[in-house]
């Protein structure tokens, strides 16, 4: 089965003085999701925005909001980000002690749950969480900043995860974040990715529509999985 590739531009690389306009540019490019990087200055050495800004953006757009929480104690914030308008909520496995409980909470709140793994974090233990994850976000840079180079050493982890998901006959999506551009996309997709986050490469491209169409034209070969636990037929 050949599945469509999804593109999720990260507004982190946009101009924060004109976020509404950047949002419209992302929507009109034909992108699938808006990726929102929330940083707390503790889990990562940088700060971005919180629920107030996300809820203001939410009023301006219908595009699915893919919220990447790079924060300590994400369990304390899930409700606030869901109420702000997150359609997908991703928590870092390194930031949370009872990950499965939080995945259930995200599902109960009505959003699509996902976990994120930093570059050095192994897949060990993920097999026990995968059925509760609508997506797994694989970091291909150390999180905290846009504009870094892809860590090629992480690509084999994507392939191993693809095998794990296909072997378990699940539909969990593999999302890849960090240093993704039009040159390395095919390699990342060949490794097994379904969703590509793009920050700096998206915003520096003059023809964003052509960029998104180019990525959409690529394919990721994957097996048909069964329905994940509680996963809606048509996830955001
Ligand atoms: C990094 C963020 C990424 C970032 C990607 O901490 O999680 O989403 O915005 O930006 P690029 O594509 O420039 O690496
Ligand atoms: Zn991100």
């Amino acid at each position: 089965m050949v599945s469509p590739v999804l593109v999720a531009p990260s507004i982190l690389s946009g101009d924060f003085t004109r976020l509404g306009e950047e949002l419209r540019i992302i929507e009109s490019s034909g992108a699938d999701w808006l990726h929102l990087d929330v940083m707390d200055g503790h889990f990562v050495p940088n700060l971005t925005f919180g629920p107030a800004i996300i809820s203001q953006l939410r009023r301006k757009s219908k595009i699915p909001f893919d919220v990447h929480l790079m924060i300590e104690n994400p369990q304390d914030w899930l409700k606030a980000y869901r109420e702000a308008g997150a359609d997908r909520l991703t928590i870092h496995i390194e930031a949370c002690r009872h990950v499965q409980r939080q995945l259930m909470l995200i599902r109960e709140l009505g959003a699509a749950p996902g976990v994120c793994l930093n570059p050095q974090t192994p897949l060990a233990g993920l097999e026990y969480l995968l059925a509760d994850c609508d997506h797994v976000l694989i970091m291909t840079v150390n999180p905290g900043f846009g504009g870094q180079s892809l860590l090629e050493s992480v690509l084999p982890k994507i392939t191993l995860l693809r095998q794990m998901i296909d072997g378990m006959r699940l539909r969990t999506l593999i999302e890849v974040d960090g240093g993704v551009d039009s040159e390395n996309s095919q390699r990342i997709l060949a490794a097994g990715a379904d969703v590509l986050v793009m920050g700096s490469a998206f915003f520096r491209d003059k023809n964003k529509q052509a960029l998104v169409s180019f990525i959409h034209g690529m394919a990721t070969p994957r097996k048909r999985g069964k329905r994940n636990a509680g996963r809606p037929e048509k996830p955001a």
Side-chain angles (χ1 to χ4, degrees), residues 10 12-13 35 37 39 68 70 139 141-148 177-180 197-201:
S10 167
L12 178 66
S13 300
H35 187 79
D37 287 304
M39 305 185 188
H68 176 191
M70 285 166 275
M139 291 309 302
V141 297
N142 287 292
F145 304 93
Q148 304 179 77
D177 187 5
V180 179
V197 175
M198 272 195 179
S200 47

PDB file of all heavy atoms in Angstrom, residues 10 12-13 35 37 39 68 70 139 141-148 177-180 197-201, ligand 1:
ATOM      1  N   SER A  10       6.458  24.163  10.312  1.00  0.00           N
ATOM      2  CA  SER A  10       6.571  24.666  11.690  1.00  0.00           C
ATOM      3  C   SER A  10       6.617  26.188  11.674  1.00  0.00           C
ATOM      4  O   SER A  10       7.514  26.782  11.062  1.00  0.00           O
ATOM      5  CB  SER A  10       7.836  24.125  12.352  1.00  0.00           C
ATOM      6  OG  SER A  10       8.063  24.846  13.542  1.00  0.00           O
ATOM      7  N   LEU A  12       7.529  27.995  13.901  1.00  0.00           N
ATOM      8  CA  LEU A  12       8.702  28.460  14.654  1.00  0.00           C
ATOM      9  C   LEU A  12       9.649  29.265  13.764  1.00  0.00           C
ATOM     10  O   LEU A  12      10.298  30.201  14.228  1.00  0.00           O
ATOM     11  CB  LEU A  12       9.447  27.244  15.231  1.00  0.00           C
ATOM     12  CG  LEU A  12      10.723  27.504  16.023  1.00  0.00           C
ATOM     13  CD1 LEU A  12      10.419  28.260  17.308  1.00  0.00           C
ATOM     14  CD2 LEU A  12      11.440  26.201  16.346  1.00  0.00           C
ATOM     15  N   SER A  13       9.720  28.895  12.501  1.00  0.00           N
ATOM     16  CA  SER A  13      10.635  29.597  11.590  1.00  0.00           C
ATOM     17  C   SER A  13       9.978  30.793  10.916  1.00  0.00           C
ATOM     18  O   SER A  13      10.605  31.439  10.072  1.00  0.00           O
ATOM     19  CB  SER A  13      11.152  28.636  10.517  1.00  0.00           C
ATOM     20  OG  SER A  13      11.838  27.569  11.118  1.00  0.00           O
ATOM     21  N   HIS A  35       2.471  22.762  12.420  1.00  0.00           N
ATOM     22  CA  HIS A  35       3.271  22.256  13.539  1.00  0.00           C
ATOM     23  C   HIS A  35       3.617  23.426  14.454  1.00  0.00           C
ATOM     24  O   HIS A  35       4.166  24.437  14.020  1.00  0.00           O
ATOM     25  CB  HIS A  35       4.544  21.609  12.978  1.00  0.00           C
ATOM     26  CG  HIS A  35       5.389  20.902  13.989  1.00  0.00           C
ATOM     27  ND1 HIS A  35       5.093  19.642  14.449  1.00  0.00           N
ATOM     28  CD2 HIS A  35       6.525  21.288  14.622  1.00  0.00           C
ATOM     29  CE1 HIS A  35       6.021  19.268  15.327  1.00  0.00           C
ATOM     30  NE2 HIS A  35       6.895  20.249  15.461  1.00  0.00           N
ATOM     31  N   ASP A  37       5.604  24.513  17.858  1.00  0.00           N
ATOM     32  CA  ASP A  37       6.664  24.100  18.774  1.00  0.00           C
ATOM     33  C   ASP A  37       6.585  24.879  20.078  1.00  0.00           C
ATOM     34  O   ASP A  37       6.938  26.058  20.131  1.00  0.00           O
ATOM     35  CB  ASP A  37       8.027  24.322  18.113  1.00  0.00           C
ATOM     36  CG  ASP A  37       8.301  23.310  17.014  1.00  0.00           C
ATOM     37  OD1 ASP A  37       8.255  22.102  17.312  1.00  0.00           O
ATOM     38  OD2 ASP A  37       8.545  23.717  15.868  1.00  0.00           O
ATOM     39  N   MET A  39       7.996  25.505  23.703  1.00  0.00           N
ATOM     40  CA  MET A  39       9.243  25.299  24.467  1.00  0.00           C
ATOM     41  C   MET A  39       9.161  26.062  25.788  1.00  0.00           C
ATOM     42  O   MET A  39       8.674  27.199  25.808  1.00  0.00           O
ATOM     43  CB  MET A  39      10.437  25.808  23.665  1.00  0.00           C
ATOM     44  CG  MET A  39      10.552  25.189  22.278  1.00  0.00           C
ATOM     45  SD  MET A  39      12.058  25.727  21.469  1.00  0.00           S
ATOM     46  CE  MET A  39      11.789  25.066  19.814  1.00  0.00           C
ATOM     47  N   HIS A  68       3.585  20.276  19.428  1.00  0.00           N
ATOM     48  CA  HIS A  68       4.765  19.551  19.903  1.00  0.00           C
ATOM     49  C   HIS A  68       5.208  20.190  21.215  1.00  0.00           C
ATOM     50  O   HIS A  68       5.752  21.289  21.225  1.00  0.00           O
ATOM     51  CB  HIS A  68       5.850  19.649  18.804  1.00  0.00           C
ATOM     52  CG  HIS A  68       7.154  19.032  19.166  1.00  0.00           C
ATOM     53  ND1 HIS A  68       8.295  19.217  18.399  1.00  0.00           N
ATOM     54  CD2 HIS A  68       7.517  18.228  20.190  1.00  0.00           C
ATOM     55  CE1 HIS A  68       9.304  18.558  18.943  1.00  0.00           C
ATOM     56  NE2 HIS A  68       8.865  17.961  20.039  1.00  0.00           N
ATOM     57  N   MET A  70       7.539  20.619  23.962  1.00  0.00           N
ATOM     58  CA  MET A  70       8.912  20.421  24.466  1.00  0.00           C
ATOM     59  C   MET A  70       8.967  21.062  25.848  1.00  0.00           C
ATOM     60  O   MET A  70       9.612  22.107  26.063  1.00  0.00           O
ATOM     61  CB  MET A  70       9.903  21.073  23.494  1.00  0.00           C
ATOM     62  CG  MET A  70      10.075  20.255  22.230  1.00  0.00           C
ATOM     63  SD  MET A  70      10.893  21.165  20.919  1.00  0.00           S
ATOM     64  CE  MET A  70       9.477  21.997  20.221  1.00  0.00           C
ATOM     65  N   MET A 139      12.771  12.971  16.514  1.00  0.00           N
ATOM     66  CA  MET A 139      13.606  14.172  16.365  1.00  0.00           C
ATOM     67  C   MET A 139      14.879  13.812  15.614  1.00  0.00           C
ATOM     68  O   MET A 139      15.602  12.892  16.007  1.00  0.00           O
ATOM     69  CB  MET A 139      13.993  14.746  17.735  1.00  0.00           C
ATOM     70  CG  MET A 139      12.877  15.374  18.549  1.00  0.00           C
ATOM     71  SD  MET A 139      11.868  16.599  17.707  1.00  0.00           S
ATOM     72  CE  MET A 139      13.089  17.819  17.196  1.00  0.00           C
ATOM     73  N   VAL A 141      17.024  16.383  15.062  1.00  0.00           N
ATOM     74  CA  VAL A 141      17.978  17.358  15.615  1.00  0.00           C
ATOM     75  C   VAL A 141      17.736  17.339  17.133  1.00  0.00           C
ATOM     76  O   VAL A 141      16.713  16.832  17.589  1.00  0.00           O
ATOM     77  CB  VAL A 141      17.750  18.811  15.095  1.00  0.00           C
ATOM     78  CG1 VAL A 141      17.966  18.909  13.593  1.00  0.00           C
ATOM     79  CG2 VAL A 141      16.369  19.342  15.492  1.00  0.00           C
ATOM     80  N   ASN A 142      18.658  17.913  17.887  1.00  0.00           N
ATOM     81  CA  ASN A 142      18.385  18.115  19.309  1.00  0.00           C
ATOM     82  C   ASN A 142      17.402  19.271  19.410  1.00  0.00           C
ATOM     83  O   ASN A 142      17.656  20.354  18.881  1.00  0.00           O
ATOM     84  CB  ASN A 142      19.687  18.411  20.053  1.00  0.00           C
ATOM     85  CG  ASN A 142      20.526  17.158  20.169  1.00  0.00           C
ATOM     86  OD1 ASN A 142      20.173  16.212  20.872  1.00  0.00           O
ATOM     87  ND2 ASN A 142      21.621  17.122  19.428  1.00  0.00           N
ATOM     88  N   PRO A 143      16.243  19.043  20.067  1.00  0.00           N
ATOM     89  CA  PRO A 143      15.191  20.047  20.019  1.00  0.00           C
ATOM     90  C   PRO A 143      15.578  21.349  20.735  1.00  0.00           C
ATOM     91  O   PRO A 143      16.396  21.351  21.638  1.00  0.00           O
ATOM     92  CB  PRO A 143      14.019  19.362  20.725  1.00  0.00           C
ATOM     93  CG  PRO A 143      14.629  18.324  21.580  1.00  0.00           C
ATOM     94  CD  PRO A 143      15.873  17.867  20.870  1.00  0.00           C
ATOM     95  N   GLY A 144      14.946  22.415  20.290  1.00  0.00           N
ATOM     96  CA  GLY A 144      15.170  23.720  20.922  1.00  0.00           C
ATOM     97  C   GLY A 144      15.303  24.850  19.910  1.00  0.00           C
ATOM     98  O   GLY A 144      14.976  25.983  20.220  1.00  0.00           O
ATOM     99  N   PHE A 145      15.735  24.506  18.710  1.00  0.00           N
ATOM    100  CA  PHE A 145      15.974  25.551  17.716  1.00  0.00           C
ATOM    101  C   PHE A 145      15.657  25.044  16.317  1.00  0.00           C
ATOM    102  O   PHE A 145      15.899  23.867  16.014  1.00  0.00           O
ATOM    103  CB  PHE A 145      17.446  26.000  17.749  1.00  0.00           C
ATOM    104  CG  PHE A 145      17.874  26.450  19.112  1.00  0.00           C
ATOM    105  CD1 PHE A 145      18.479  25.555  19.994  1.00  0.00           C
ATOM    106  CD2 PHE A 145      17.636  27.756  19.538  1.00  0.00           C
ATOM    107  CE1 PHE A 145      18.840  25.951  21.273  1.00  0.00           C
ATOM    108  CE2 PHE A 145      18.003  28.151  20.820  1.00  0.00           C
ATOM    109  CZ  PHE A 145      18.599  27.256  21.695  1.00  0.00           C
ATOM    110  N   GLY A 146      15.152  25.952  15.493  1.00  0.00           N
ATOM    111  CA  GLY A 146      14.989  25.639  14.082  1.00  0.00           C
ATOM    112  C   GLY A 146      16.319  25.861  13.364  1.00  0.00           C
ATOM    113  O   GLY A 146      17.272  26.389  13.943  1.00  0.00           O
ATOM    114  N   GLY A 147      16.373  25.440  12.122  1.00  0.00           N
ATOM    115  CA  GLY A 147      17.532  25.743  11.283  1.00  0.00           C
ATOM    116  C   GLY A 147      18.768  24.895  11.511  1.00  0.00           C
ATOM    117  O   GLY A 147      19.843  25.250  11.029  1.00  0.00           O
ATOM    118  N   GLN A 148      18.640  23.787  12.232  1.00  0.00           N
ATOM    119  CA  GLN A 148      19.799  22.909  12.435  1.00  0.00           C
ATOM    120  C   GLN A 148      19.849  21.860  11.319  1.00  0.00           C
ATOM    121  O   GLN A 148      18.882  21.640  10.600  1.00  0.00           O
ATOM    122  CB  GLN A 148      19.699  22.205  13.783  1.00  0.00           C
ATOM    123  CG  GLN A 148      19.549  23.130  14.980  1.00  0.00           C
ATOM    124  CD  GLN A 148      19.425  22.345  16.283  1.00  0.00           C
ATOM    125  OE1 GLN A 148      20.402  21.838  16.817  1.00  0.00           O
ATOM    126  NE2 GLN A 148      18.205  22.235  16.793  1.00  0.00           N
ATOM    127  N   ASP A 177      11.072  15.327  12.488  1.00  0.00           N
ATOM    128  CA  ASP A 177      11.195  16.756  12.818  1.00  0.00           C
ATOM    129  C   ASP A 177      12.658  17.136  13.032  1.00  0.00           C
ATOM    130  O   ASP A 177      13.313  16.602  13.928  1.00  0.00           O
ATOM    131  CB  ASP A 177      10.385  17.003  14.113  1.00  0.00           C
ATOM    132  CG  ASP A 177      10.283  18.466  14.485  1.00  0.00           C
ATOM    133  OD1 ASP A 177      10.741  19.323  13.718  1.00  0.00           O
ATOM    134  OD2 ASP A 177       9.718  18.735  15.573  1.00  0.00           O
ATOM    135  N   GLY A 178      13.116  18.072  12.209  1.00  0.00           N
ATOM    136  CA  GLY A 178      14.458  18.622  12.413  1.00  0.00           C
ATOM    137  C   GLY A 178      15.346  18.505  11.192  1.00  0.00           C
ATOM    138  O   GLY A 178      15.727  17.401  10.807  1.00  0.00           O
ATOM    139  N   GLY A 179      15.615  19.644  10.571  1.00  0.00           N
ATOM    140  CA  GLY A 179      16.546  19.651   9.439  1.00  0.00           C
ATOM    141  C   GLY A 179      16.012  19.026   8.169  1.00  0.00           C
ATOM    142  O   GLY A 179      16.791  18.653   7.289  1.00  0.00           O
ATOM    143  N   VAL A 180      14.682  18.925   8.057  1.00  0.00           N
ATOM    144  CA  VAL A 180      14.091  18.308   6.858  1.00  0.00           C
ATOM    145  C   VAL A 180      14.037  19.351   5.734  1.00  0.00           C
ATOM    146  O   VAL A 180      13.612  20.487   5.960  1.00  0.00           O
ATOM    147  CB  VAL A 180      12.662  17.789   7.150  1.00  0.00           C
ATOM    148  CG1 VAL A 180      12.041  17.180   5.902  1.00  0.00           C
ATOM    149  CG2 VAL A 180      12.676  16.784   8.305  1.00  0.00           C
ATOM    150  N   VAL A 197       7.915  17.347   9.115  1.00  0.00           N
ATOM    151  CA  VAL A 197       7.847  18.704   9.674  1.00  0.00           C
ATOM    152  C   VAL A 197       8.914  19.523   8.948  1.00  0.00           C
ATOM    153  O   VAL A 197      10.023  19.040   8.729  1.00  0.00           O
ATOM    154  CB  VAL A 197       8.135  18.693  11.190  1.00  0.00           C
ATOM    155  CG1 VAL A 197       8.181  20.119  11.746  1.00  0.00           C
ATOM    156  CG2 VAL A 197       7.097  17.859  11.924  1.00  0.00           C
ATOM    157  N   MET A 198       8.570  20.735   8.573  1.00  0.00           N
ATOM    158  CA  MET A 198       9.548  21.596   7.888  1.00  0.00           C
ATOM    159  C   MET A 198       9.463  22.998   8.444  1.00  0.00           C
ATOM    160  O   MET A 198       8.402  23.630   8.363  1.00  0.00           O
ATOM    161  CB  MET A 198       9.223  21.673   6.404  1.00  0.00           C
ATOM    162  CG  MET A 198       9.840  20.589   5.597  1.00  0.00           C
ATOM    163  SD  MET A 198       9.716  21.104   3.870  1.00  0.00           S
ATOM    164  CE  MET A 198      10.514  19.721   3.128  1.00  0.00           C
ATOM    165  N   GLY A 199      10.544  23.488   9.006  1.00  0.00           N
ATOM    166  CA  GLY A 199      10.575  24.846   9.521  1.00  0.00           C
ATOM    167  C   GLY A 199      11.308  25.764   8.563  1.00  0.00           C
ATOM    168  O   GLY A 199      10.725  26.369   7.669  1.00  0.00           O
ATOM    169  N   SER A 200      12.631  25.838   8.733  1.00  0.00           N
ATOM    170  CA  SER A 200      13.406  26.791   7.932  1.00  0.00           C
ATOM    171  C   SER A 200      13.322  26.499   6.438  1.00  0.00           C
ATOM    172  O   SER A 200      13.244  27.436   5.631  1.00  0.00           O
ATOM    173  CB  SER A 200      14.858  26.817   8.411  1.00  0.00           C
ATOM    174  OG  SER A 200      15.338  25.513   8.551  1.00  0.00           O
ATOM    175  N   ALA A 201      13.307  25.240   6.048  1.00  0.00           N
ATOM    176  CA  ALA A 201      13.265  24.927   4.602  1.00  0.00           C
ATOM    177  C   ALA A 201      11.962  25.432   3.993  1.00  0.00           C
ATOM    178  O   ALA A 201      11.946  25.916   2.857  1.00  0.00           O
ATOM    179  CB  ALA A 201      13.411  23.422   4.378  1.00  0.00           C
TER     180      ALA A 201
HETATM  181  C1  LIG B   1      13.007  21.931  16.898  1.00  0.00           C
HETATM  182  C2  LIG B   1      11.557  21.943  16.550  1.00  0.00           C
HETATM  183  C3  LIG B   1      11.295  21.807  15.099  1.00  0.00           C
HETATM  184  C4  LIG B   1      11.821  22.938  14.277  1.00  0.00           C
HETATM  185  C5  LIG B   1      12.129  22.410  12.924  1.00  0.00           C
HETATM  186  O1  LIG B   1      13.172  21.953  18.270  1.00  0.00           O
HETATM  187  O2  LIG B   1      10.875  20.866  17.184  1.00  0.00           O
HETATM  188  O3  LIG B   1       9.916  21.605  14.818  1.00  0.00           O
HETATM  189  O4  LIG B   1      10.935  24.000  14.152  1.00  0.00           O
HETATM  190  O5  LIG B   1      12.785  23.404  12.229  1.00  0.00           O
HETATM  191  P1  LIG B   1      13.782  23.042  11.051  1.00  0.00           P
HETATM  192  O6  LIG B   1      12.960  22.388   9.980  1.00  0.00           O
HETATM  193  O7  LIG B   1      14.341  24.355  10.645  1.00  0.00           O
HETATM  194  O8  LIG B   1      14.828  22.107  11.609  1.00  0.00           O
END
